[in-house]
Amino acid sequence: MASNPHVLVIANPLQGHLNPVLQFAKRLAFKGLMVTLVATSTISKSLITENGLVKIVSISDGSEDLPKQPLDNDTKEPLDGSQVESNQPSKEVHGSAEDKEKERWARFQPAVSQGLIELIERHKDSCNPFRVLIYDSMMPWCLDIAHQQSLKGASFFTQSCIVSLLYFQTYAGTLQLPTNGSVVSVPQLSVPLQLHDLPSFIYDTGSNPAILKYISDQFSNFKEADWLLFNTFDKLENEVVNWMAEQWSIKTIGPAIPSMYTDKRVTGDKDYDLNLFTADQDTCKNWLDTKTKGSVVYVSFGSIANLKEEQMTELAFGLSNSNIAFLWIIRASEEAKLPVNFMSEALKNRCLIVNWCSQLQVLSHEAVGCFMSHCGWNSTLEALSLGVPVVAMPQWTDQTTNAKFIVDVWKMGVRVKVNEKEIATREHIEACLKEVMEGEKRNELKINALKFKEFAKAAMDEGGSSDNNISKFISSI
Ligand code: UDP
């Protein structure tokens, strides 16, 4: 009897990339494929749980002898007791944190390429060798490896379709940046975009040219990929999805979040299983249980964003002055920026601050009335899929564009304005929190958020747009 096709999935070792890639891998396994996920050594050192549906293997990304990443606060060894072989010469790296990050990324591609090739070759003589490599679109060189090894390649985009399109136009040199307050004309979009609605690396070209190149290189060979998979769903980005589908063979497969929060068909799929941080799960749940329905603001800026100290102070006092209860995630690396005189006795009863939580568990708790978010794409999808209105406080990268859509397209949130120093003041933060939690708009925002919750569920449920696309992807393998 022929075995089910075996696919190899490789994730980028960043929390916001890992989560959707692993969720998609679980979906494929649920639908009958045999799935192996490659967790590179940065991830596998922090593996908190193994996942039953998907086999997880480790390869080196060259980071073994580097100091821990600033965002990595977990030192756990792989639970399966596996050892990760380093194929890089051991070398002390001296210099600043920035130098070490550069070294980490310089080692990444050569080490992962070698590990991936060895893994694929080792499996060639097995009873079920890999047929397809699904790779994060930010690692376009994986496609070359797949094709050289006679595998097909599927590029998995962890950002929205509109953001992908804007990066594609940047790569192709066809994006006309607006001048003097005019708007960007994206013909496939009825909502005009102003300069600051574009991803920050596009409008602020001088700030990070290397990152802009890294990101837009996703499109360097995407036309040669056998499939283009997007973590979004049709009803969310109708216009752009339709336009892109006319040009390229794209498949929307999202929202790639645990099934328990959408269609509930994948038994046991309750949470993301690869965590680079340790969640304070019980503390958050127990605290939220003491709060009344819809009374708490959940505040998180994701796994990477670093707020300026001044911004942290304004945020702390904006939250405190609002008189609304809040649960605030401050990663260990950000804690020192909290103002010293901020925590009063009275405030202690009204807030909880932890380093990390299970965000889905928090967002789905009935005590949570709104999400103050940096608008990372996963957080945005999670807010939409769980029907939680947003106070958008984008920091950089695609978050600015996601915030624009939250406010003006999906109409399920408000955006905090920034002053000429790019700081959101405490007064404005307080006003936005009150607008979403207590203001006239409250009902309308909630109704719109709940509408998208239904759409997200329908997309993933049997016969829904994303479900159909996943089935078509599987039958085409
Ligand atoms: N997340 C979490 N616990 C937290 C904060 C974030 O589990 O305390 C998860 C969140 O659910 C999301 C991911 O981390 O899936 C962050 O991805 P996102 O794209 O929102 O932001 P990034 O970290 O990439 O900036």
Side-chain angles (χ1 to χ4, degrees):
M1 201 180 80
S3 16
N4 292 340
H6 194 176
V7 298
L8 185 62
V9 183
I10 180 158
N12 210 341
L14 297 166
Q15 194 70 59
H17 290 241
L18 261 177
N19 288 355
V21 166
L22 175 62
Q23 283 313 124
F24 183 60
K26 288 192 217 168
R27 257 308 142 167
L28 296 179
F30 162 71
K31 283 178 169 275
L33 291 189
M34 191 170 162
V35 185
T36 296
L37 181 106
V38 181
T40 68
S41 38
T42 304
I43 309 168
S44 56
K45 273 195 196 135
S46 319
L47 253 181
I48 288 180
T49 54
E50 275 283 354
N51 178 269
L53 283 168
V54 172
K55 183 177 173 203
I56 299 179
V57 298
S58 295
I59 62 170
S60 169
D61 54 23
S63 65
E64 293 77 13
D65 59 338
L66 285 174
K68 281 199 302 167
Q69 249 176 316
L71 61 80
D72 181 358
N73 65 359
D74 196 317
T75 52
K76 285 194 179 171
E77 292 302 320
L79 280 192
D80 59 2
S82 63
Q83 295 292 314
V84 177
E85 295 277 318
S86 171
N87 42 27
Q88 292 293 313
S90 176
K91 186 172 106 186
E92 262 303 289
V93 181
H94 299 283
S96 65
E98 202 180 318
D99 288 340
K100 286 170 187 154
E101 274 316 286
K102 276 192 188 146
E103 177 65 19
R104 180 185 305 284
W105 286 107
R107 289 182 184 194
F108 186 78
Q109 182 176 337
V112 172
S113 299
Q114 185 182 332
L116 204 51
I117 291 169
E118 284 168 9
L119 179 69
I120 295 170
E121 286 184 342
R122 263 203 313 277
H123 274 74
K124 279 197 171 146
D125 296 327
S126 73
C127 55
N128 197 357
F130 303 120
R131 289 199 210 169
V132 175
L133 176 65
I134 301 171
Y135 59 94
D136 189 308
S137 61
M138 300 277 184
M139 294 153 66
W141 38 272
C142 286
L143 182 63
D144 302 330
I145 296 177
H147 285 168
Q148 280 154 17
Q149 295 291 324
S150 310
L151 269 64
K152 294 207 162 172
S155 187
F156 186 101
F157 291 78
T158 59
Q159 75 238 342
S160 68
C161 274
I162 177 63
V163 166
S164 301
L165 182 59
L166 291 166
Y167 282 136
F168 166 69
Q169 292 177 333
T170 304
Y171 180 82
T174 55
L175 185 68
Q176 297 278 329
L177 289 188
T179 46
N180 302 327
S182 65
V183 291
V184 186
S185 157
V186 183
Q188 20 323 52
L189 198 69
S190 54
V191 178
L193 299 179
Q194 289 177 341
L195 190 64
H196 287 88
D197 299 327
L198 300 175
S200 67
F201 300 133
I202 296 182
Y203 69 72
D204 196 4
T205 39
S207 70
N208 255 315
I211 301 192
L212 179 59
K213 178 166 176 356
Y214 170 74
I215 295 179
S216 45
D217 272 357
Q218 295 174 84
F219 295 96
S220 56
N221 61 359
F222 82 114
K223 289 182 187 160
E224 284 133 50
D226 300 284
W227 297 274
L228 302 171
L229 308 169
F230 287 84
N231 183 21
T232 185
F233 54 100
D234 290 3
K235 280 209 167 154
L236 198 56
E237 298 193 82
N238 232 336
E239 295 169 316
V240 181
V241 168
N242 288 342
W243 185 84
M244 285 173 82
E246 282 167 20
Q247 326 295 315
W248 307 295
S249 176
I250 69 160
K251 287 191 174 8
T252 51
I253 53 77
I257 67 171
S259 171
M260 182 184 146
Y261 297 98
T262 52
D263 60 319
K264 298 189 171 48
R265 287 185 297 156
V266 186
T267 319
D269 186 21
K270 295 189 179 125
D271 215 335
Y272 298 121
D273 295 323
L274 288 170
N275 286 295
L276 298 175
F277 303 86
T278 310
D280 239 324
Q281 218 136 303
D282 292 341
T283 317
C284 295
K285 184 178 179 316
N286 294 341
W287 185 80
L288 286 170
D289 283 348
T290 66
K291 301 287 177 265
T292 55
K293 189 172 174 185
S295 65
V296 174
V297 177
Y298 167 63
V299 188
S300 168
F301 290 82
S303 62
I304 300 172
N306 293 319
L307 269 57
K308 288 185 194 144
E309 207 159 313
E310 184 183 355
Q311 184 61 85
M312 200 76 163
T313 302
E314 290 306 304
L315 178 56
F317 286 106
L319 286 163
S320 155
N321 296 346
S322 73
N323 274 326
I324 301 168
F326 60 92
L327 164 51
W328 187 2
I329 307 303
I330 306 182
R331 299 190 319 273
S333 55
E334 293 280 284
E335 261 174 339
K337 296 180 190 167
L338 256 187
V340 274
N341 55 348
F342 156 66
M343 188 58 75
S344 63
E345 276 310 310
L347 188 57
K348 272 188 193 150
N349 296 325
R350 181 160 61 81
C351 79
L352 175 67
I353 298 179
V354 297
N355 292 147
W356 196 251
C357 70
S358 162
Q359 183 159 297
L360 288 162
Q361 218 178 72
V362 168
L363 284 176
S364 60
H365 197 289
E366 66 163 20
V368 172
C370 99
F371 182 7
M372 178 161 214
S373 173
H374 71 312
C375 307
W377 183 235
N378 296 287
S379 295
T380 302
L381 280 177
E382 289 161 14
L384 286 156
S385 307
L386 273 64
V388 182
V390 172
V391 171
M393 210 169 125
Q395 300 298 302
W396 67 335
T397 180
D398 61 342
Q399 296 153 18
T400 34
T401 313
N402 300 338
K404 167 74 179 173
F405 273 61
I406 285 171
V407 177
D408 290 333
V409 179
W410 308 315
K411 299 188 181 356
M412 43 81 79
V414 301
R415 180 170 178 169
V416 184
K417 287 197 182 69
V418 291
N419 63 18
E420 59 296 338
K421 281 161 53 193
E422 300 279 310
I423 298 288
T425 61
R426 63 190 75 187
E427 291 78 16
H428 201 65
I429 289 172
E430 182 186 345
C432 286
L433 289 171
K434 288 187 166 155
E435 194 177 353
V436 176
M437 292 293 279
E438 301 160 0
E440 281 172 18
K441 269 194 174 171
R442 184 190 152 101
N443 276 350
E444 184 196 330
L445 297 174
K446 184 71 187 170
I447 289 168
N448 287 336
L450 288 174
K451 182 174 82 184
F452 282 100
K453 178 179 177 175
E454 284 311 308
F455 289 163
K457 177 176 181 292
M460 294 309 287
D461 218 339
E462 193 160 2
S465 56
S466 295
D467 183 61
N468 280 342
N469 285 338
I470 298 170
S471 299
K472 281 186 207 153
F473 169 62
I474 291 175
S475 18
S476 65
I477 292 176

